[in-house]
Amino acid sequence: MTDARTATVSSPGDRSLSAKQGVPKEGELLKRGGLRKNWLKRRFVLEEGVLKYYGKGKKEKGHVPTAYMANVRETVSSTGTKSDKKMPNRFEVVTTSRTYYFSALTPDERKAWIDAIDSWIGLDTVETRAASRRYTESFNEADDDDDDEDEDAVAAAAIDAVVSEVG
């Protein structure tokens, strides 16, 4: 059975490669650090094929293009570090380069974030590809010393190479 959210659109002149619609979302989550494994509150914005996150001010701390996301799922509460287990509303986003860990304030908010992120996974439009590529390039030019972005830039190049070969 075909899921209507991901049916391919093939009408001439249609710029979409998929009929799936991404759901924008904004709010606060706790994010576990990639190196230090500590949990920090961040403001997140999910739109136009990019999950962006911000620190205490308006400065962007990083981003994850949705084109590189493979899966989003609830995290089993009995797994992880001691500090992980104190986060009852955890979920994870698996990308081509790493797994990101988040915790929402409530179970309902966790479900809303999982559903919103899932709506972008597999979303493949000309506009989303272009926005993701533009965003990655501009962010990496502006701030080359953040490890998260360096990993995503390497993953972006690898995916672009595969996409070029396939189609």
Side-chain angles (χ1 to χ4, degrees):
M1 184 167 145
T2 303
D3 183 347
R5 289 185 323 163
T6 58
T8 301
V9 175
S10 59
S11 60
D14 188 345
R15 300 190 59 175
S16 295
L17 303 175
S18 168
K20 186 175 176 181
Q21 296 286 319
V23 175
K25 180 143 180 65
E26 184 172 343
E28 287 189 343
L29 293 169
L30 293 166
K31 177 185 171 291
R32 190 176 84 176
L35 297 174
R36 293 181 54 207
K37 309 295 185 218
N38 57 333
W39 289 89
L40 295 171
K41 187 181 280 189
R42 300 282 187 229
R43 185 174 62 86
F44 286 83
V45 177
L46 175 63
E47 63 185 2
E48 298 177 354
V50 180
L51 176 63
K52 299 174 267 190
Y53 52 99
Y54 301 84
K56 291 180 181 177
K58 293 185 178 184
K59 183 177 180 349
E60 183 178 325
K61 299 293 284 183
H63 69 278
V64 184
T66 59
Y68 312 136
M69 294 179 181
N71 194 9
V72 59
R73 60 182 170 241
E74 193 173 314
T75 304
V76 178
S77 60
S78 63
T79 62
T81 67
K82 188 175 182 179
S83 67
D84 291 351
K85 292 176 185 175
K86 293 179 183 176
M87 304 293 169
N89 302 307
R90 287 183 293 144
F91 64 98
E92 59 191 49
V93 175
V94 180
T95 71
T96 56
S97 62
R98 70 176 266 199
T99 299
Y100 292 84
Y101 297 93
F102 304 99
S103 183
L105 300 178
T106 67
D108 288 343
E109 192 64 13
R110 173 182 55 198
K111 180 176 180 351
W113 274 104
I114 289 172
D115 290 347
I117 292 169
D118 187 54
S119 76
W120 289 92
I121 294 176
L123 181 64
D124 190 15
T125 66
V126 172
E127 289 82 5
T128 302
R129 284 184 185 189
S132 179
R133 186 172 294 114
R134 258 192 330 272
Y135 200 84
T136 300
E137 289 168 0
S138 68
F139 190 83
N140 285 338
E141 288 171 8
D143 185 10
D144 283 331
D145 41 289
D146 191 300
D147 291 338
D148 291 346
E149 286 74 39
D150 290 343
E151 291 175 12
D152 285 336
V154 170
I159 287 176
D160 286 344
V162 170
V163 169
S164 297
E165 289 177 17
V166 172

